[in-house]
């Protein structure tokens, strides 16, 4: 029945409408599939890439995708449109009429009057094949092409929606976005894992030296690095604007090749003035995990379904539990006691004063029923110089948030706002001369404040269940690899 109707419609389209149709500008598939055209159809232009081809004696079927959504749009044409250049992966321009579809499983289809191959694709040499599911490990070999796969295109759309959701959360809460510098003279984390920045052309330094009349070894007169965090600059702005955040790239010169580490990644960081306790900051973090995630679940149902069905079956339940549970709080000392009771299970023996290893983080989350857990009040020597001293000569008001499967997702602390305490700590570390500006913030109108940072790619791993961090960023950077 539907095939007879299709032949009748094709005859009308190809023999009569072509001469008198006026086509509007090309539209995107995401808006087309939800439209309800009249029975006689509406003129339409469409551009995209061929996902499948099926040619019959009297009809040519194509499935096109333009990247705007997971769904394909069926294009119905005549066999003579199937030129040798038309293949899986080729880019095409189609003009025709959008009609209600008689075929079950789709609301509309495009009956083509004209089909042009804009960019041919050698399907035999193309690394991805039609109707074949490729692993993420395989697609990772082709960073310039993997966005053509369903899974990575879905990831990029989810990543875009996640970015929007996080910005919306902060804007709704009255935070001011600040663009902190990518080039910095500070090592915020104090770990020395820095990429130094200098001109590639050494003659630039000679020219600067000649212009200034003094020899310089550095473009900025001091050693400069790609930022590891925008936190210190955010503290400057929080001392005037109260609530600020930054969402931008950060860089770490780590030798790690693990599933949670990259040399370039995105960080979401925020600073809050007039805080009193760690709980003030942790409450903001809990809201920031839940509200954007709920928005992503609502705005990306098809893309998320692909991940929860084919990439990480069962992970939707993990995410739902995160959204419906109150996050656990425990001190570092309590965490160490829990770990010591199961120390025979660990490669690294848990000891007070030692940092938590990945295996420890995962055990603590499982111990708490696979609910995110804040570990608070870390030993002073494990956290940066700016963490507020608890006054017990051992610990600082710093915390990590651990989540299922990923481990550490957030790190945060109250910042040391007391001038004398901070001055003493910087003196002991030999950093006072480099951080006079930081001390000035305590000299002129200092207030209690705190903040946090979240690795954006780890957040995507958390909500999608993707095991490897290289599969949630468009162009991963890590030791021995800087492709493109």
């Amino acid at each position: 029945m539907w095939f007879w109707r299709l032949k009748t419609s094709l005859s009308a389209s190809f023999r009569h409408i072509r001469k008198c149709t006026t086509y509007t500008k090309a539209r995107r598939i995401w808006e087309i599939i939800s439209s309800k055209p009249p029975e006689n159809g509406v003129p339409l232009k469409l551009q995209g890439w061929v996902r499948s081809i099926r040619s019959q004696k009297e009809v040519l079927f194509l499935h096109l995708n333009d990247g705007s959504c997971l769904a394909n749009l069926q294009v119905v044409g005549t066999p003579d449109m199937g030129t040798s250049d038309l293949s899986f992966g080729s880019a095409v321009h189609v003009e025709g009429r959008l009609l209600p579809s008689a075929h079950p499983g789709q609301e509309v289809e495009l009956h083509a009057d004209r089909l042009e191959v804009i960019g041919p694709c050698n399907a035999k040499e193309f690394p991805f094949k039609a109707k074949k599911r490729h692993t993420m490990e395989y697609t990772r070999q082709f960073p310039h092409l993997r966005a053509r796969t369903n899974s990575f295109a879905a990831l990029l759309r989810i990543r875009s929606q996640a970015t929007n959701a996080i910005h919306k959360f902060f804007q709704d809460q009255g935070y001011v976005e600040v663009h902190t510098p990518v080039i910095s003279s500070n090592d915020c984390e104090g770990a020395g894992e820095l990429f130094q920045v200098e001109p590639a052309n050494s003659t630039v330094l000679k020219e600067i030296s000649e212009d200034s009349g003094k020899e310089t070894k550095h473009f900025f007169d001091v050693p400069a690095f790609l930022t590891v965090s925008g936190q210190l600059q955010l503290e400057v702005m929080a001392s005037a604007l109260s609530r600020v955040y930054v969402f931008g790239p950060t860089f770490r010169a780590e030798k790690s090749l693990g599933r949670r580490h990259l040399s370039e990644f995105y960080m979401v960081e925020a600073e809050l003035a007039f805080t009193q306790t760690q709980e003030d900051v942790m409450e903001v973090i809990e809201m920031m995990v839940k509200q954007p995630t709920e928005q992503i679940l609502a705005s990306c149902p098809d893309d998320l379904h692909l991940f929860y069905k084919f990439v990480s079956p069962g992970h939707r339940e993990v995410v739902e539990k995160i959204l419906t549970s109150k996050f656990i709080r425990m001190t570092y000392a309590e965490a160490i006691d829990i770990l010591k009771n199961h120390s025979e299970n660990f490669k690294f023996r848990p000891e007070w004063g030692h940092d938590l290893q990945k295996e420890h983080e995962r055990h603590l989350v499982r111990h708490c029923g696979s609910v995110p857990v804040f570990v608070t009040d870390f030993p002073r020597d494990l956290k940066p110089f700016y963490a507020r001293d608890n006054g017990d000569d051992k610990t600082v008001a710093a915390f990590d948030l651990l989540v299922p499967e990923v481990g550490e997702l957030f790190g945060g602390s109250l910042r040391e706002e007391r001038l004398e305490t901070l001055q003493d700590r910087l003196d002991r570390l030999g950093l006072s001369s480099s951080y006079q500006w930081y001390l000035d913030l305590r000299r002129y109108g200092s207030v209690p404040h705190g903040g946090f940072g979240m690795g954006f790619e780890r957040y995507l791993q958390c909500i999608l269940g993707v095991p490897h961090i290289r599969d949630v960023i468009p162009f991963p950077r890590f030791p021995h690899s800087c492709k493109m």
Side-chain angles (χ1 to χ4, degrees), residues 7-20:
K7 287 180 67 177
T8 303
S9 177
L10 280 172
S11 177
S13 295
F14 299 138
R15 295 178 186 174
H16 304 293
I17 297 176
R18 180 181 300 169
K19 295 182 180 179
C20 57

Side-chain angles (χ1 to χ4, degrees), residues 31 54 57 119 164 224 338 383 414 443:
E31 57 179 337
R54 182 161 53 95
K57 185 177 180 180
N164 292 336
I338 292 170
K383 293 299 178 180
L414 298 181
R443 292 188 179 102

Side-chain angles (χ1 to χ4, degrees), residues 171-329:
Q171 296 291 332
D172 289 350
Q173 298 291 324
Y175 284 73
V176 178
E177 183 183 10
V178 174
H179 297 146
T180 56
V182 172
I183 298 175
S184 175
S185 59
N186 301 311
D187 177 7
C188 177
E189 297 296 315
E193 298 166 340
L194 303 169
F195 289 103
Q196 190 160 354
V197 177
E198 294 291 352
N201 188 346
S202 60
T203 60
V204 173
L205 292 180
K206 291 181 180 179
E207 292 171 354
I208 292 175
S209 298
E210 292 172 358
D211 290 345
S212 64
K214 61 178 182 180
E215 183 178 0
T216 180
K217 295 181 179 180
H218 304 289
F219 184 87
F220 298 102
D221 286 342
V222 295
F225 312 95
L226 294 178
T227 183
V228 296
S229 170
Q231 182 221 307
L232 299 182
Q233 290 86 357
L234 278 184
E235 285 194 59
V236 171
M237 300 307 175
S239 68
L241 301 175
S242 297
R243 292 187 174 190
V244 294
Y245 77 102
V246 61
F247 193 153
T250 54
F251 307 86
R252 303 282 171 87
E254 297 177 327
K255 64 179 181 180
S256 175
L257 295 171
R259 291 174 173 264
R260 301 189 304 166
H261 295 90
L262 291 167
S263 299
E264 177 187 5
F265 56 96
Y266 276 71
M267 283 275 284
V268 181
E269 300 176 272
E271 289 293 318
L272 303 71
F274 305 104
T275 55
Q276 299 297 322
T277 65
Q278 292 178 79
E279 186 63 30
D280 295 337
V281 184
M282 291 189 291
E283 286 179 357
V284 175
I285 290 174
E286 188 162 350
M287 286 193 299
M288 190 197 132
V289 172
K290 293 179 177 180
Q291 290 183 19
T293 303
E294 289 171 348
Q295 182 178 330
I296 295 164
L297 291 177
S299 60
C300 306
D302 294 338
D303 289 329
L304 287 167
H305 178 72
L306 182 149
F307 275 88
Y308 295 150
K309 183 177 181 179
F310 298 112
V311 178
S312 51
H315 194 73
R316 176 68 181 250
E317 289 73 22
V318 175
V319 176
E320 293 289 355
K321 191 169 187 178
I322 290 174
L323 295 178
T324 56
S325 302
K326 175 69 175 175
F327 293 2
I328 306 297
R329 275 78 164 158

Side-chain angles (χ1 to χ4, degrees), residues 346-385:
F346 302 127
K347 178 181 178 181
F348 297 94
R349 181 177 178 83
E351 294 288 350
W352 201 97
H354 293 183
D355 215 345
L356 299 178
Q357 301 296 318
K358 183 178 180 179
E359 59 179 349
H360 302 152
E361 295 171 349
R362 289 186 168 182
H363 179 86
L364 291 171
V365 174
R366 289 195 297 269
H367 176 83
C368 294
S370 295
V371 172
V373 53
F374 285 105
V375 179
T376 67
D377 302 297
F378 272 77
R380 181 171 55 199
D381 292 342
L382 295 182
K383 293 299 178 180
F385 67 87

